[in-house]
Each structure stands twice: as C-alpha cells, then as structure tokens.
Amino acid sequence: VFSALDPGRLPLHHAEVLLFVVREHRVTYRQIEQAFGLSNASASRIVNSLSSDSPHRKNCLGMVEVFRDPDEGRRLLVRLTKKGEAFARQLERL
C-alpha cells in the first residue's frame, strides 16, 4: 500500500509519521518531534513531503495538510487530507 504512494522513494520514517497522524487524527509538530526524536527541521521536512501543498517540494504526496491551531494561532497542526483519509481506510482493510 505504501509503495503505491511513492514507489521506492517513501522512507520508513515518513511512513511512520504518516501512521502517527492516522492514529492521532491531528498532531502538532512538537508531538511529531517528541514521538520520533526529531528536530523541528526534520519534522518539517517530513511533513512537507507528506503534505498537500509544500513550497519546498514539487512532488508532494497530498496525504496531510498543515493548518493554524484555532486555539493557539502560533501553533501549526497536521491532519489528514481526504486522500490521507482514504489511505487510512485502505490500511484498516488490510
């Protein structure tokens, strides 16, 4: 299922972060950093590669989106896109 997303190019740690977002539904960058022992820059690169719209990568997977936390405007949250939700349903069927 993962190879269909990005054949041969989806690093394991990117897949792990995607599964974390699937499980938690909505996470902060800080939660990703703490869960995987990543720097902010590493978490940001991974989220950008999984995102629906990244200024830094032309071939984004479109699985997650980043948005401002309505309760704390300085904090960014990560959640699944419709494509990401469909992927999560595929995983549940396995």
Side-chain angles (χ1 to χ4, degrees), residues 1-2 4 10-11 13 19-20 24 32 34 39 41 44-45 48 55 60-61 63-64 68 74 76-78 81:
V1 175
F2 281 100
L10 185 67
H13 54 283
L19 290 173
F20 182 65
E24 300 297 326
I32 294 170
Q34 291 176 335
S39 67
S44 180
R45 276 192 297 275
N48 282 336
C60 299
L61 295 176
M63 303 300 282
V64 300
R68 293 241 176 248
R74 294 175 292 169
L76 295 175
L77 296 172
V78 180
T81 60

Side-chain angles (χ1 to χ4, degrees), residues 3-47:
S3 64
L5 285 178
D6 194 6
R9 297 182 305 172
L10 185 67
L12 179 59
H13 54 283
H14 291 217
E16 290 173 326
V17 170
L18 178 58
L19 290 173
F20 182 65
V21 177
V22 167
R23 186 180 72 231
E24 300 297 326
H25 302 289
R26 159 177 127 154
V27 297
T28 64
Y29 277 83
R30 185 74 179 139
Q31 288 172 305
I32 294 170
E33 293 163 19
Q34 291 176 335
F36 298 98
L38 299 172
S39 67
N40 183 268
S42 292
S44 180
R45 276 192 297 275
I46 291 170
V47 169

Side-chain angles (χ1 to χ4, degrees), residues 8 18 30 43 49-50 55-56 59 73 75-77 80 93-94:
L18 178 58
R30 185 74 179 139
S49 73
L50 297 172
H56 307 294
N59 298 321
R75 183 172 40 212
L76 295 175
L77 296 172
L80 295 175
R93 287 187 289 240
L94 293 179

